[in-house]
Amino acid sequence: SLGLKLKTVRIPPYKFRGESALLECHYELNGQRKGHSSLESSNRRHHGYQNDYLGERYEEEEKLYSIKWYKDNEEFYRYVPSASQPIKSYKIEGIRVDPNHSDGTKVLLRGLTLKSSGIYRCEISAEAPSFDSVQGEGRMDVIFVPRDGPHISDSERKSYHIGETMELNCTSGRSYPASTLQWYLNDLLVTDPNNIIHYPSVQNQHGLITTFLGLSMVVNHRHYIDGTIRIKCVASLSPILWRGGQESIVQWEQPPIDNRVAMLLGISTSTWY
């Protein structure tokens, strides 16, 4: 029996907040692929076959009963071709269906919010007598790229003497998911756990997250290159989500031994790359 077969399910893995998302569910019914037609044919003809066996076989072909879409196991869309109103959508937080661009193989979601993130599943069912059912799913995450930051605290400091402890904090801009922060000393990643202080992240309004990372380091003469120490904090999301990143840089000139005060050469900057 050819029956009902799931061919492809397309759920975009990542979308930006405010964008639209097209969810697709393509299937085969009786060996015919359904993926470009909004209405499935429900009245098959015998095409003039005189052979009773062939006619009987065509009578037994399966018909589509429904296509249902779920987010985190909660139904939000239903397509029943035999119904007087084939398309029906249900209110769920984070879901806004555009019925004019949705049908038996696709659903268009508009105005995505962070609450639109989740596991999406389509379930296709055939009519009696078989009641065959197939389903497929995928995860979509809605992301929010930071609009500012990161910021390094204590960047007003004029300089650090050899033997002094440098204590800095880096704060990310608000994002979803959380930004990852990393410290660089003279463009080399700081990996020593003794120098890195982890703080709990903070969830803001609308589910956006701010992250913090501390740096504590005793300054020695090797940290000054050509008389300058350069500290950088880089904020990034997954490379898939956010190409490039944002960084904040501070640098100090090594103070003369007989002078306790030196001017700050670089100022704290925030740049894209």
Side-chain angles (χ1 to χ4, degrees):
S1 166
L2 293 166
L4 177 64
K5 290 179 187 172
L6 181 69
K7 298 304 287 182
T8 51
V9 177
R10 292 195 187 102
I11 315 285
Y14 301 108
K15 280 286 178 181
F16 291 105
R17 192 173 76 168
E19 282 189 327
S20 298
L22 186 65
L23 315 178
E24 296 179 81
C25 199
H26 301 295
Y27 60 95
E28 265 184 15
L29 193 59
N30 307 309
Q32 295 192 358
R33 184 160 186 162
K34 311 291 179 179
H36 305 288
S37 166
S38 58
L39 288 172
E40 313 304 339
S41 172
S42 59
N43 54 342
R44 294 212 170 262
R45 306 196 184 280
H46 293 171
H47 303 294
Y49 283 124
Q50 299 303 311
N51 187 306
D52 288 338
Y53 170 73
L54 279 174
E56 186 182 340
R57 191 174 142 211
Y58 267 74
E59 282 299 328
E60 288 178 352
E61 282 194 341
E62 292 192 78
K63 296 172 186 173
L64 177 73
Y65 170 63
S66 70
I67 293 185
K68 297 177 183 178
W69 280 92
Y70 301 83
K71 177 188 174 284
D72 299 328
N73 295 319
E74 197 173 349
E75 185 182 355
F76 67 87
Y77 179 87
R78 182 181 295 193
Y79 174 81
V80 182
S82 60
S84 55
Q85 284 188 310
I87 290 174
K88 198 169 185 181
S89 58
Y90 306 92
K91 286 202 168 199
I92 291 185
E93 199 171 22
I95 297 289
R96 189 154 64 87
V97 172
D98 181 345
N100 298 320
H101 294 87
S102 303
D103 56 29
T105 58
K106 63 184 184 293
V107 178
L108 183 66
L109 304 181
R110 292 201 182 274
L112 298 175
T113 71
L114 298 184
K115 293 188 184 300
S116 308
S117 297
I119 304 232
Y120 287 83
R121 183 174 92 250
C122 75
E123 184 181 83
I124 305 159
S125 303
E127 279 189 353
S130 76
F131 298 110
D132 275 354
S133 179
V134 291
Q135 57 184 4
E137 66 179 34
R139 179 169 182 88
M140 180 174 75
D141 281 303
V142 178
I143 64 172
F144 183 87
V145 172
R147 289 179 175 161
D148 62 349
H151 301 290
I152 297 177
S153 68
D154 201 27
S155 54
E156 297 81 20
R157 178 79 182 251
K158 300 301 182 190
S159 68
Y160 285 94
H161 288 269
I162 306 297
E164 273 192 287
T165 299
M166 176 192 300
E167 291 187 329
L168 301 172
N169 283 320
C170 182
T171 305
S172 76
R174 297 181 305 157
S175 69
Y176 185 86
S179 299
T180 300
L181 297 176
Q182 292 175 307
W183 286 107
Y184 286 80
L185 171 63
N186 298 322
D187 294 322
L188 291 175
L189 179 65
V190 178
T191 56
D192 189 339
N194 296 318
N195 298 140
I196 296 169
I197 304 160
H198 295 276
Y199 298 104
S201 57
V202 170
Q203 187 150 328
N204 306 282
Q205 195 180 5
H206 307 305
L208 300 177
I209 299 167
T210 303
T211 52
F212 309 91
L213 192 66
L215 179 71
S216 179
M217 185 180 288
V218 177
V219 176
N220 65 48
H221 62 89
R222 290 192 307 275
H223 292 151
Y224 280 103
I225 295 177
D226 295 331
T228 302
I229 187 169
R230 176 184 164 97
I231 299 289
K232 179 167 71 174
C233 176
V234 175
S236 59
L237 298 179
S238 161
I240 301 171
L241 309 182
W242 188 18
R243 292 184 177 85
Q246 286 178 305
E247 61 182 39
S248 182
I249 302 169
V250 290
Q251 61 183 29
W252 295 275
E253 186 177 347
Q254 185 174 3
I257 293 168
D258 59 346
N259 184 359
R260 304 294 291 179
V261 180
M263 293 299 289
L264 174 65
L265 276 188
I267 59 168
S268 179
T269 60
S270 182
T271 56
W272 287 90
Y273 62 84

